[in-house]
Amino acid sequence: MHTQMRENSRRGIPFLSFESFDQTGLTVNAFSTREGGVSSGYCASLNFRGTMDDDPENIAENYRRMADALSVSISQMVLTQQTHTTNLLRVGREEMGYGLTKPLPWTDIDGLVTNEPGVMLVAFFADCVPLYFLDPVHKAIALSHSGWRGSVCRMGEVTIKRMQKEFGSRPEDLLAGIGPCICGKCYEVDEFVAERIRESFSEEEMKAFLLPGRPEHYQLDLPRMNRLIMKQAGIPDDHISDSGHCTCCESDRFFSHRASNGKRGNLCAFLMLN
Ligand SMILES: [Zn+2]
């Protein structure tokens, strides 16, 4: 496995971070694992979102531990409310704490953008693709959630266009990261999904990420699909880092929807401008 993410451990909490982002000194970026938290059962142990089978107090403690490891406060974090849309929200200091210290006032938000330092963007994952963006020129960031539905609607490109509109970002300046998600070998999809992809991508494009599998099934490589989308939107290939980690192959380390048949907790991606 080739990875472009560094292994970190602070205050007993292991997490991954993109080396390319770390090298700029402009951001704090992280992706959580299952380890280091207080949740139990199938949410063991670092679960970040409420399910019927986890105690809200456990989840609150997990956030406090992660915030501590990243040397921030939970009142700096801003949460998404993901429903497989391509809706993005620009946030700033006024939105800090929404979803943690204040009730979340929005729904159907699958990505966040900001150019304000100290605002930590947070999004949830358990197989879908985390997309991290940094504009080192205009000092702006974005974090988005791209499952198969988001990928069909080119969430990566939608996010880049929003950064262009809000901050004047140029795609050729951007650094991007594809976080831990389900790999092409693990992700079998059916004809319904393949048909949705066919409606938005050419046969030539699809060859790069959708391979024939069992009869009437396909193997969908979401990291490759998202890399293609970001390259077509203008990000140079060597500006795109890949975690190389599969949440399903490594389900002992990450929460995986596919590996657990839905009985799983939530991982988080974190991104903040210094
Ligand atoms: Zn895998």
Side-chain angles (χ1 to χ4, degrees):
M1 179 200 63
H2 179 67
T3 181
Q4 293 174 299
M5 291 190 96
R6 188 197 310 263
E7 303 271 346
N8 308 273
S9 184
R10 297 232 309 261
R11 300 181 190 226
I13 307 289
F15 62 91
L16 302 168
S17 67
F18 286 104
E19 291 172 356
S20 57
F21 283 55
D22 286 340
Q23 278 161 10
T24 67
L26 294 172
T27 64
V28 172
N29 86 92
F31 192 81
S32 67
T33 74
R34 298 183 63 152
E35 296 152 37
V38 295
S39 301
S40 58
Y42 66 78
C43 293
S45 63
L46 195 63
N47 172 41
F48 287 112
R49 197 159 62 177
T51 72
M52 279 159 48
D53 296 318
D54 201 0
D55 184 336
E57 260 314 302
N58 290 341
I59 296 166
E61 174 61 17
N62 291 341
Y63 274 104
R64 282 192 289 270
R65 288 184 177 203
M66 192 72 199
D68 231 27
L70 300 176
S71 302
V72 299
S73 150
I74 59 165
S75 61
Q76 289 173 264
M77 295 181 175
V78 185
L79 272 51
T80 55
Q81 203 278 321
Q82 298 162 200
T83 50
H84 300 279
T85 68
T86 54
N87 299 331
L88 292 141
L89 188 69
R90 179 175 177 168
V91 296
R93 298 189 66 83
E94 284 189 7
E95 284 76 25
M96 290 197 313
Y98 275 130
L100 287 174
T101 56
K102 301 183 269 189
L104 204 64
W106 50 75
T107 58
D108 306 321
I109 293 298
D110 280 80
L112 298 168
V113 301
T114 190
N115 65 349
E116 294 189 35
V119 179
M120 179 159 271
L121 313 181
V122 183
F124 301 95
F125 301 91
D127 286 346
C128 289
V129 187
L131 297 177
Y132 295 67
F133 298 88
L134 167 63
D135 176 347
V137 178
H138 297 87
K139 309 249 186 333
I141 53 173
L143 183 65
S144 36
H145 163 248
S146 183
W148 77 260
R149 288 177 191 276
S151 300
V152 163
C153 296
R154 298 180 190 259
M155 182 50 153
E157 181 185 351
V158 174
T159 308
I160 293 162
K161 289 206 162 125
R162 185 63 177 267
M163 292 182 81
Q164 286 179 295
K165 183 175 158 243
E166 298 282 356
F167 313 118
S169 300
R170 291 181 301 258
E172 60 269 31
D173 292 330
L174 297 180
L175 290 183
I178 298 169
C181 60
I182 193 165
C183 80
K185 287 199 187 79
C186 291
Y187 197 29
E188 181 181 73
V189 297
D190 59 14
E191 192 56 50
F192 176 82
V193 173
E195 192 50 39
R196 300 289 85 71
I197 294 172
R198 242 175 247 123
E199 288 165 4
S200 302
F201 291 83
S202 70
E203 285 293 330
E204 195 53 39
E205 288 172 326
M206 284 166 56
K207 275 186 199 154
F209 57 78
L210 190 70
L211 297 173
R214 291 190 300 143
E216 294 170 45
H217 288 79
Y218 302 84
Q219 296 301 130
L220 174 56
D221 191 322
L222 285 175
R224 290 184 76 171
M225 185 178 185
N226 278 276
R227 176 178 288 268
L228 177 76
I229 290 164
M230 292 194 284
K231 278 167 63 179
Q232 288 180 338
I235 302 188
D237 191 52
D238 63 353
H239 287 202
I240 304 171
S241 296
D242 192 328
S243 87
H245 288 285
C246 170
T247 45
C248 188
C249 289
E250 299 171 65
S251 61
D252 54 338
R253 191 172 187 209
F254 299 105
F255 293 119
S256 167
H257 189 83
R258 184 60 65 107
S260 65
N261 288 313
K263 289 236 164 210
R264 45 79 177 175
N266 272 274
L267 305 159
C268 273
F270 301 89
L271 183 60
M272 180 182 86
L273 281 170
N274 284 320

Coordinates of all heavy atoms in Angstrom, one line a residue, residues 181-187 245-250, ligand 1:
C181 N -11.0 5.6 2.4 CA -12.3 5.3 1.9 C -12.3 3.8 1.4 O -11.2 3.2 1.4 CB -12.7 6.2 0.8 SG -11.7 6.2 -0.6
I182 N -13.4 3.4 0.9 CA -13.5 2.0 0.4 C -12.7 1.9 -1.0 O -12.8 2.8 -1.8 CB -14.9 1.5 0.3 CG1 -15.0 0.0 0.1 CG2 -15.7 2.3 -0.8 CD1 -16.4 -0.6 0.3
C183 N -12.0 0.8 -1.1 CA -11.2 0.6 -2.3 C -11.9 -0.1 -3.5 O -13.0 -0.6 -3.2 CB -9.9 -0.1 -2.0 SG -10.0 -1.9 -1.9
G184 N -11.3 -0.1 -4.6 CA -12.0 -0.6 -5.8 C -12.2 -2.1 -5.7 O -13.1 -2.7 -6.3
K185 N -11.4 -2.8 -5.0 CA -11.5 -4.3 -4.8 C -12.7 -4.6 -3.9 O -13.3 -5.6 -4.0 CB -10.2 -4.9 -4.2 CG -9.1 -4.9 -5.2 CD -8.0 -6.0 -4.7 CE -6.8 -5.9 -5.6 NZ -5.9 -4.8 -5.2
C186 N -12.9 -3.8 -2.9 CA -14.0 -4.0 -1.9 C -15.4 -3.5 -2.3 O -16.4 -3.9 -1.8 CB -13.6 -3.3 -0.6 SG -12.2 -4.1 0.3
Y187 N -15.4 -2.5 -3.3 CA -16.6 -1.8 -3.5 C -17.4 -2.4 -4.7 O -17.2 -1.9 -5.8 CB -16.4 -0.3 -3.6 CG -17.7 0.5 -3.5 CD1 -18.7 0.1 -2.7 CD2 -17.8 1.7 -4.1 CE1 -19.9 0.8 -2.6 CE2 -18.9 2.5 -4.0 CZ -20.0 2.0 -3.2 OH -21.1 2.8 -3.1
H245 N -5.3 4.1 2.0 CA -6.0 3.2 3.0 C -7.4 2.9 2.6 O -8.1 3.8 2.1 CB -6.1 3.9 4.4 CG -4.7 4.0 5.1 ND1 -4.1 3.0 5.7 CD2 -3.9 5.1 5.3 CE1 -3.0 3.3 6.2 NE2 -2.8 4.6 6.0
C246 N -7.8 1.6 2.8 CA -9.1 1.2 2.5 C -9.8 0.9 3.8 O -9.4 0.1 4.6 CB -9.2 -0.1 1.7 SG -10.8 -0.8 1.6
T247 N -11.0 1.6 4.1 CA -11.7 1.5 5.3 C -12.3 0.1 5.4 O -12.4 -0.4 6.6 CB -12.8 2.5 5.4 OG1 -13.5 2.6 4.1 CG2 -12.3 3.9 5.6
C248 N -12.5 -0.6 4.3 CA -13.2 -1.9 4.4 C -12.1 -3.0 4.5 O -12.2 -3.9 5.4 CB -14.0 -2.1 3.1 SG -15.0 -3.6 3.1
C249 N -11.0 -2.9 3.7 CA -9.9 -3.9 3.9 C -9.3 -3.8 5.4 O -8.9 -4.8 5.9 CB -8.7 -3.5 3.0 SG -8.9 -3.9 1.3
E250 N -9.3 -2.5 5.9 CA -8.7 -2.3 7.2 C -9.8 -2.0 8.2 O -9.7 -1.0 9.0 CB -7.7 -1.1 7.1 CG -6.6 -1.4 6.2 CD -5.8 -0.1 6.0 OE1 -5.1 0.4 6.9 OE2 -5.7 0.4 4.8
Ligands
ZN1 ZN -10.5 -2.6 0.3

